[in-house]
Amino acid sequence: MERAEVVVRQSFRRSGRARVGVVLSGDSGRYRVRWEDSGEEEELQVGGQYRWARRGSLRHQFLVDPQPLRASFAEDSTAFILRLLREQGSAMTLKRITEELGGLGLDSQAAKKAWPAAKRAIDKCDQVQQNGTGSGRTYKWIGPDEEVAGAVAAATTDPDAVPNTPPTAPDSVIPVAEEPPIAEPAAADGVAESHHVLGEGEPSSVESIPTQPAEAPPDQEFPGGKEAETRPRTAQPSLAERIAELTGDEHPANLQDYVVRPLAVGERFGEIESQRIDDFLATLTEHDHEVAESLLLALPRQSAAIDGTRRRRPVDGTVVALVLARAAEEVRAYAEPEPGVFAAATWLLRRASAVEDLPGSAAASLMSLIIAVASVRREQDIPVLDTAAVALGRLLPALSHDERTSLDLTGLAPALANLPLSRDSGRAALLAAIGKFRSKDLLAPEWWVGVSVDALAECATGPLGGVTSRPEIVEQYVRPLVARELSRVTSRTRLGFLLGLPGEFVSNLPADALAAAFRQVAGDDQVVAALLGALGQERRIDALRQDVERARAEAAAAGERVEEAERRTAALADRCDQLEESLRAEHRQASSLRSAQDRQIQIDVIRSLADLAAEVEELAAEHTDPEVLVERVRALAYAQALEPVGQAGQKLPFDPTAHEPIVGAPSNDDEVTVIRPGYRWRPSDEDVLIEKALVTTT
């Protein structure tokens, strides 16, 4: 069954949703539709925001919601390409297949990887007809439309066709990439090749500026399928075709290819007369006019249609942020951009900096363009860079803490080197903003290149007060800068200015540097010379008077110290005699006590030995059993805090810290037999191994 025809109304706004209307009647691009969301009927002309498609087709799915298509392509790219051939119905070259995939927003790198597997499936699929050779080889679906799902599945699962290729899903919603790939930067004429080839281009990390979708193939532009080939075609040209006609491109690129290269497109628009651009804008639909205005943000000259009163609506900060992001990626993609590209980037910076509602997300892109434009070092770009620095300084506080700390500031400091520094300058605003969240970065010398004392002093009482008052900044940059200016001072006025700087500028300056500055000015200024002479005489008198007073004070202090030293010497001598006598008495007492203790220890040891000998003799005389004898002996040992290590004849795991083998070298935990027990002495808080147990291996 043939699928119903629908018209999709796309929204230029990213947050807007597409509307779908069922075609009730009509021909030659003008139809009557019933909108599904409201049930209202309307007559309309296809073109601009209104695009025709068959319900459930890839084109329909792309127009309604392009987000899900990439996942389906990644999951089964072979089935996706076969379905594309079926829906086109006409013979397609490899280049045409690539263009259609790009029109559906697919990444060319992914298409490059997918083509070999798809080609193998096509070669063994009898429902695809191939003709021609080389780049002119064409592929055409000749299978029945009503059995497409089964045919595609067979082409991708038949063991004789393409092994290990999963079957396609039915014609349900199939996702597509979030955005098409970025085209390669332009060559000499500033515009990239209009047709993609599989594998060319790089994927972009920046969200696409909303654009109208790619045009439908010839047999799907109007309702009726292949029958429409016989009908007269009066559809309006697409915006991409209008741009190609205006710029003189022989082959129009996809609109997305223009969107991802705003600088190259702006350069090309700059070669066109203003009247032609005005006429071009006047013929566009509301949707296409919004897209064209975003492309003209990089127009390298003043334009009433973009900058003046003829602009239809205020500049949308969100759209400008997207254009900035695309421009930043475009600049990074160029090996060496043409001068016209830098001119377009300068004008884009000029217009973006004037947008009041520019979101904080544009900070990184704005910074990249500032660095790129500043690298050319053109005098006429300085006012634009200064204004852009003001805008960047305004955006940085709006970022979150993580966003600010993750910013790569590399290259920004050299970009500011040629900018003026004043209270209202962009350089001051940017330094103040960075100082609030990345103050340590400002210790790099690149930030202070070309900064004068006068400019720094002016800004210190304004936006840079929080930066110039930091001790590390004062120590590393401010004070050396003032000292260098003092070494060059030649007039009383300049000397007075330097001494009148904020306190942190002149505090702790070397005294010899100040004296040298006064002497240098005194050579040509009689007033300063007279002051210096008078100050010098009074200074010498004061110095001599202070020297005399200091000498008297030092002599009196020395006399007092001598008397105090004599008193302390006598006291120390008496104390020394007392300590010597006390030491002798303590030595005698300690010697007597040590002798008594040693004697008592010997007596205690002999007494314990005597008790043991008597006990053993008594038990032997009574013919006591060996077990009882051992028990009595161990009881006497326990009384002296002795604990046996093993028992004769006992089998134990070998412990090298407590066992001594008679022969051999047993390993840890080897079973050994105790020949003679050892003993540990365990008085309070001690554990002394007196004798290891003698063991032998079993």
Side-chain angles (χ1 to χ4, degrees):
M1 179 186 299
E2 186 171 330
R3 293 175 180 166
E5 300 165 352
V6 296
V7 170
V8 180
R9 181 186 183 276
Q10 293 185 294
S11 173
F12 178 78
R13 301 294 179 188
R14 290 172 53 82
S15 59
R17 298 181 59 184
R19 296 185 70 190
V20 178
V22 179
V23 175
L24 301 178
S25 62
D27 196 1
S28 300
R30 189 162 191 85
Y31 306 104
R32 185 170 188 82
V33 301
R34 179 187 294 116
W35 296 111
E36 294 181 343
D37 56 355
S38 64
E40 298 176 351
E41 295 184 6
E42 180 183 0
E43 282 195 3
L44 51 85
Q45 179 74 38
V46 170
Q49 289 179 284
Y50 300 99
R51 318 301 298 172
W52 178 90
R54 291 191 181 280
R55 186 184 298 278
S57 65
L58 295 176
R59 176 177 168 81
H60 174 216
Q61 294 164 28
F62 172 75
L63 294 175
V64 173
D65 184 7
Q67 298 298 327
L69 284 176
R70 177 181 290 174
S72 177
F73 182 83
E75 180 182 357
D76 194 350
S77 55
T78 298
F80 193 103
I81 293 174
L82 287 172
R83 179 177 172 184
L84 176 66
L85 289 174
R86 189 273 302 175
E87 291 187 357
Q88 293 297 317
S90 59
M92 303 174 66
T93 62
L94 175 57
K95 178 181 290 188
R96 175 71 183 282
I97 293 173
T98 308
E99 292 172 356
E100 293 299 328
L101 291 175
L104 293 174
L106 290 177
D107 183 357
S108 61
Q109 291 295 328
K112 177 182 179 181
K113 294 179 181 179
W115 177 246
K119 180 65 167 63
R120 290 194 298 270
I122 291 172
D123 289 342
K124 298 183 180 181
C125 179
D126 57 3
Q127 295 175 323
V128 176
Q129 184 183 69
Q130 302 185 44
N131 291 307
T133 59
S135 60
R137 190 174 186 83
T138 62
Y139 307 89
K140 181 178 180 181
W141 180 267
I142 59 174
D145 289 352
E146 63 273 15
E147 297 177 4
V148 63
V152 172
T156 56
T157 57
D158 185 0
D160 296 330
V162 184
N164 303 324
T165 304
T168 184
D171 291 350
S172 57
V173 175
I174 294 183
V176 153
E178 297 178 8
E179 61 191 79
I182 294 179
E184 290 294 325
D189 61 355
V191 179
E193 177 66 25
S194 60
H195 296 291
H196 287 297
V197 178
L198 275 174
E200 294 182 351
E202 293 293 334
S204 170
S205 60
V206 183
E207 295 178 337
S208 299
I209 298 173
T211 64
Q212 79 179 51
E215 292 299 307
D219 59 345
Q220 289 189 351
E221 185 63 42
F222 303 105
K226 298 179 181 179
E227 296 177 359
E229 295 179 358
T230 61
R231 300 173 183 172
R233 303 192 176 187
T234 60
Q236 296 296 323
S238 67
L239 178 57
E241 292 171 338
R242 290 177 181 269
I243 294 174
E245 180 182 358
L246 181 66
T247 57
D249 291 343
E250 183 178 353
H251 300 289
N254 291 327
L255 181 56
Q256 191 68 17
D257 291 339
Y258 290 118
V259 170
V260 298
R261 297 179 295 109
L263 301 181
V265 174
E267 179 190 11
R268 292 299 302 275
F269 278 135
E271 301 171 356
I272 302 169
E273 297 177 356
S274 297
Q275 186 59 49
R276 290 187 60 197
I277 292 180
D278 292 346
D279 296 341
F280 161 72
L281 291 174
T283 62
L284 298 180
T285 63
E286 184 71 15
H287 170 270
D288 289 350
H289 195 283
E290 293 182 15
V291 178
E293 282 183 345
S294 69
L295 294 177
L296 286 170
L297 287 172
L299 179 67
R301 67 167 182 265
Q302 195 76 16
S303 171
I306 302 302
D307 309 299
T309 57
R310 292 208 302 272
R311 185 178 181 89
R312 293 189 178 181
R313 62 189 58 78
V315 181
D316 188 336
T318 304
V319 173
V320 175
L322 293 174
V323 175
L324 284 172
R326 288 299 193 184
E329 290 206 1
E330 181 182 359
V331 167
R332 286 192 292 269
Y334 284 110
E336 186 175 351
E338 295 290 332
V341 172
F342 281 117
T346 303
W347 278 86
L348 176 57
L349 276 180
R350 184 194 305 270
R351 295 184 176 102
S353 302
V355 177
E356 294 293 336
D357 63 341
L358 195 64
S361 58
S365 304
L366 190 64
M367 185 167 61
S368 296
L369 284 186
I370 290 174
I371 294 171
V373 172
S375 66
V376 185
R377 297 186 179 277
R378 299 190 308 178
E379 192 70 22
Q380 63 267 32
D381 293 339
I382 289 180
V384 176
L385 291 171
D386 188 73
T387 305
V390 171
L392 182 57
R394 185 175 67 248
L395 292 180
L396 292 180
L399 300 179
S400 67
H401 177 269
D402 292 339
E403 289 173 332
R404 292 198 303 264
T405 53
S406 63
L407 276 179
D408 182 8
L409 301 180
T410 305
L412 187 57
L416 302 180
N418 290 336
L419 299 186
L421 182 65
S422 64
R423 292 174 64 93
D424 300 326
S425 68
R427 186 172 186 178
L430 198 51
L431 287 174
I434 295 173
K436 292 179 181 178
F437 68 93
R438 294 270 286 274
S439 59
K440 291 185 178 180
D441 285 12
L442 296 184
L443 293 176
E446 292 81 6
W447 294 102
W448 307 99
V449 172
V451 173
S452 66
V453 170
D454 302 65
L456 202 58
E458 177 189 357
C459 295
T461 58
L464 285 186
V467 175
T468 57
S469 62
R470 292 182 179 275
E472 61 273 16
I473 298 295
V474 172
E475 184 67 28
Q476 192 165 339
Y477 296 107
V478 176
R479 199 170 293 143
L481 192 59
V482 176
R484 185 166 61 251
E485 286 298 312
L486 277 174
S487 67
R488 301 171 181 173
V489 67
T490 57
S491 69
R492 186 190 346 146
T493 303
R494 184 64 176 172
L495 181 60
F497 167 77
L498 293 175
L499 294 178
L501 291 174
E504 65 268 17
F505 280 56
V506 294
S507 62
N508 299 324
L509 281 174
D512 55 348
L514 286 171
F518 270 94
R519 287 193 297 269
Q520 189 167 316
V521 174
D524 296 325
D525 192 312
Q526 295 300 321
V527 175
V528 177
L531 290 173
L532 188 60
L535 290 173
Q537 291 177 359
E538 292 183 2
R539 188 181 299 110
R540 284 195 295 272
I541 294 172
D542 290 340
L544 290 174
R545 185 182 295 111
Q546 292 173 2
D547 289 343
V548 172
E549 292 177 355
R550 188 182 304 110
R552 288 175 179 173
E554 289 177 354
E560 293 177 358
R561 286 196 297 271
V562 169
E563 293 177 1
E564 180 65 23
E566 289 176 350
R567 288 194 297 269
R568 291 186 63 189
T569 300
L572 289 174
D574 293 342
R575 179 63 176 163
C576 184
D577 293 340
Q578 295 174 5
L579 290 175
E580 287 180 356
E581 183 61 31
S582 176
L583 183 60
R584 292 190 192 98
E586 289 179 359
H587 178 69
R588 288 192 298 270
Q589 183 179 358
S591 298
S592 175
L593 180 61
R594 187 180 303 109
S595 299
Q597 288 176 343
D598 291 345
R599 177 176 174 75
Q600 185 61 43
I601 290 173
Q602 290 177 353
I603 292 173
D604 291 342
V605 171
I606 295 301
R607 181 181 292 113
S608 297
L609 184 59
D611 289 344
L612 177 61
E615 185 76 18
V616 171
E617 185 174 346
E618 178 186 355
L619 294 174
E622 293 177 357
H623 303 289
T624 305
D625 293 338
E627 291 81 1
V628 177
L629 179 61
V630 170
E631 182 179 352
R632 294 290 295 276
V633 170
R634 289 198 170 186
L636 290 174
Y638 278 124
Q640 300 300 325
L642 287 172
E643 293 183 4
V645 179
Q647 185 176 358
Q650 185 179 9
K651 296 183 182 297
L652 298 170
F654 179 69
D655 182 0
T657 62
H659 298 159
E660 180 71 29
I662 297 176
V663 292
S667 302
N668 288 358
D669 298 332
D670 286 352
E671 190 176 70
V672 294
T673 301
V674 178
I675 303 300
R676 187 180 70 188
Y679 277 92
R680 291 180 182 276
W681 185 41
R682 290 184 174 175
S684 59
D685 299 330
E686 287 188 85
D687 186 353
V688 181
L689 180 64
I690 301 299
E691 185 72 25
K692 289 185 177 182
L694 294 179
V695 299
T696 182
T697 57
T698 58

